Amino acid sequence: MTERSPFRNLAVAAVGGWLTVFVILPNLMTLATSFLSRGEVEFAILPITFSSYRELAGPEFLRMFLDSAWLALGAAMACLAIGYPFAYILARLSPKKRKLGLLFVIIPFWTNSLIRTYALITILNANGLLNKVLLGLGLISAPLDILYTETAVFIGLAYTLLPFMILPLYASIEKLDPRLIEAARDLGAGSFQTFFRVSLPLTLPGIVAGTMLVFLPALGMFYVPDVLGGSRSLLVGNFIRNQFLTARNWPLGSAASVLLTAIMALLLAVYYFCNKRVRREAAA
Amino acid sequence: MKRSLKAAYLTAVYGFLYLPLLVLIAFSFNDSKFLVSWKGFSLRWYASLAGNSSLLDAALRSLALAASSATAATLIGALAAIALKRYRFAGRKALSASLYVVTVSPDIVMGISLLILFITLNLPLGFLTLFLSHVTFCLPFVTITILARLSGMDQSLIEAAADLGAGEYAIFRLVILPIAMPAVMAGWLLSFTLSLDDVIVSFFVTGPSFEILPLKIYSMVRLGVKPEVNALCAVMFAITLMVVGATQLLMKEKR
């Protein structure tokens, strides 16, 4: 339908205009700010400089960034390890049970993650449930001090972001044709081989999507260390917030944000190519 | 894998997801200031919640913000979904790709980019800036929800309506809208919770004159455990449960 209609023009203009003004323009402004100098009255001033990016390449930011990326990657891998078998079992249940099971993943998905982070305190506390259970079982002799450590932040990230891993995994495992697995078995592949040569490659888009949806927010969720990890600035998110709020170095904060966007672009490209390859293989 | 082993694994993961929330809710009814022990059932934290006027003000502001931004996002998102489904236009692919990119882009990137925009435009930070930001992050979710429903729609319905002489507007109002309606309502509800739950974007684009509930909770939670916060979180969780339930019912309707 290519005839001109006022309704069509209105609809396209409304959403296109909104995205241009509130997504594309602001991101271009962030990019521009990252090349400006820090100002006293204005948030950023001329001249154009690369000094923010030079600072990102310096040892101080690099160490923090690597720590943060390591933590976020660990959280993503923990979610993958917990989530993959979970999604796999869920996708093979009867349709009715599957729906119900999925609903109970969606509820925490839509629950405020700040509240979920806060709820973890009740478990990780020195007097919390975890210590009580471990003490009761005789596994430890003194309560573990997990709260306000890096371990607590790791658990917090994995806990709040687990549904973001399960949902894309579930979507790609559900699409996996059971006949392909049967075929592999019939051709003499063991369950190990079937998994690594059939299931895993075909569900790779789900794995990449889930990893992206955990890894990216895990770099930015500054309130998780605030609530569970004491006041140490641990994540790239804490760094960016501090540049905007306390250090008032907006160009540096913008440069770190551009870095996050670049990582996102990279992961999206990986996802795109995985998806394309799997589609081609499934069609073949 | 054995059946019982599978069931045990599912139970363990659900336990991991829900246990902290259940403990939190249980302690919101505890008649003690501390998380240590159970002192008996009490509603005192809910009573003190109801008496806290600054919290209630923040809650009202949040509800007003969530309702208005969900409504605007749903209107624009519905237009976008219908346009994407029904028309071929220049930039169509770019438009739908950018909607998906917005859903995966980190909140903090969106928060600071909008802050830079608003400061440059000299907009005072407050309701308006929050509203514009919340519409922006809700919009793609609404569009995707409605698009998913429309993709199951029989194209011949539109053709039949056009053959019977229906104009563009009549097709929209009499054919597409009734089919899309459950998804439109679901999109509104999802936007409403997204708005109510957002911490990171709001953190950057709000000013001191307009304190909303999630940020109020954030500042309370940073100071440690308070039973009043437990009660507040339990209430918020109950609202999320109701919204998710309503959304599921809406989307369940036969296609």
Side-chain angles (χ1 to χ4, degrees), chain A residues 141-157:
Chain A
S141 52
L144 299 173
D145 275 321
I146 298 176
L147 201 58
Y148 307 125
T149 66
E150 210 162 300
T151 315
V153 177
F154 168 75
I155 297 174
L157 292 173

Side-chain angles (χ1 to χ4, degrees), chain A residues 21-266:
Chain A
V21 175
F22 294 108
V23 177
I24 297 170
L25 181 64
N27 277 300
L28 289 176
M29 290 170 94
T30 309
L31 185 65
T33 306
S34 72
F35 288 107
L36 290 175
S37 311
R38 180 181 180 175
E40 293 296 329
V41 185
E42 301 283 325
F43 65 81
I45 49 172
L46 287 167
I48 289 170
T49 161
F50 290 95
S51 71
S52 293
Y53 288 96
R54 262 200 297 278
E55 215 168 323
L56 291 193
E60 210 174 317
F61 178 84
L62 216 57
R63 196 175 312 122
M64 185 279 300
F65 176 78
L66 288 178
D67 278 352
S68 173
W70 183 239
L71 206 59
L73 189 68
M77 290 305 107
C79 287
L80 182 61
I82 299 170
Y84 198 93
F86 181 85
Y88 204 94
I89 300 171
L90 197 64
R92 295 282 173 268
L93 290 176
S94 70
K96 213 174 172 185
K97 278 189 190 160
R98 211 186 308 163
K99 240 182 175 173
L100 193 69
L102 205 55
L103 176 64
F104 280 97
V105 181
I106 291 172
I107 292 169
F109 186 77
W110 288 113
T111 303
N112 191 332
S113 53
L114 174 62
I115 290 178
R116 297 181 61 231
T117 308
Y118 172 73
L120 264 187
I121 297 181
T122 61
I123 303 288
L124 300 178
N125 222 322
N127 299 306
L129 202 64
L130 182 69
N131 274 317
K132 277 192 179 146
V133 170
L134 290 178
L135 282 171
L137 290 172
L139 289 172
I140 51 171
S141 52
L144 299 173
D145 275 321
I146 298 176
L147 201 58
Y148 307 125
T149 66
E150 210 162 300
T151 315
V153 177
F154 168 75
I155 297 174
L157 292 173
Y159 171 69
T160 47
L161 295 166
L162 181 59
F164 291 80
M165 174 65 83
I166 293 176
L167 292 175
L169 281 179
Y170 174 85
S172 74
I173 294 170
E174 201 193 20
K175 267 190 252 154
L176 181 67
D177 192 339
R179 283 175 303 181
L180 289 173
I181 294 171
E182 277 167 37
R185 291 263 166 93
D186 289 347
L187 293 170
S191 43
F192 202 72
Q193 219 182 351
T194 310
F195 179 75
F196 280 101
R197 302 196 57 181
V198 180
S199 307
L200 198 65
L202 286 176
T203 52
L204 203 58
I207 295 174
V208 175
T211 305
M212 181 165 68
L213 287 179
V214 175
F215 182 73
L216 281 176
L219 289 174
M221 286 170 74
F222 58 75
Y223 53 82
V224 176
D226 280 354
V227 174
L228 297 176
S231 57
R232 271 192 60 210
S233 133
L234 209 51
L235 304 179
V236 181
N238 298 72
F239 176 83
I240 295 176
R241 181 198 55 187
N242 293 345
Q243 295 314 315
F244 273 80
L245 265 88
T246 47
R248 302 205 57 84
N249 189 345
W250 287 30
L252 184 57
S254 300
S257 162
V258 170
L259 178 67
L260 285 189
T261 311
I263 296 172
M264 174 183 76
L266 192 73

Side-chain angles (χ1 to χ4, degrees), chain A residues 1 82 101 104 110 118 226, chain B residues 9 14 18 86 197 218 230:
Chain A
M1 263 152 280
I82 299 170
F104 280 97
W110 288 113
Y118 172 73
D226 280 354
Chain B
Y9 188 74
Y14 284 124
Y18 281 91
R86 205 155 134 52
D197 287 352
Y218 176 54
N230 296 353

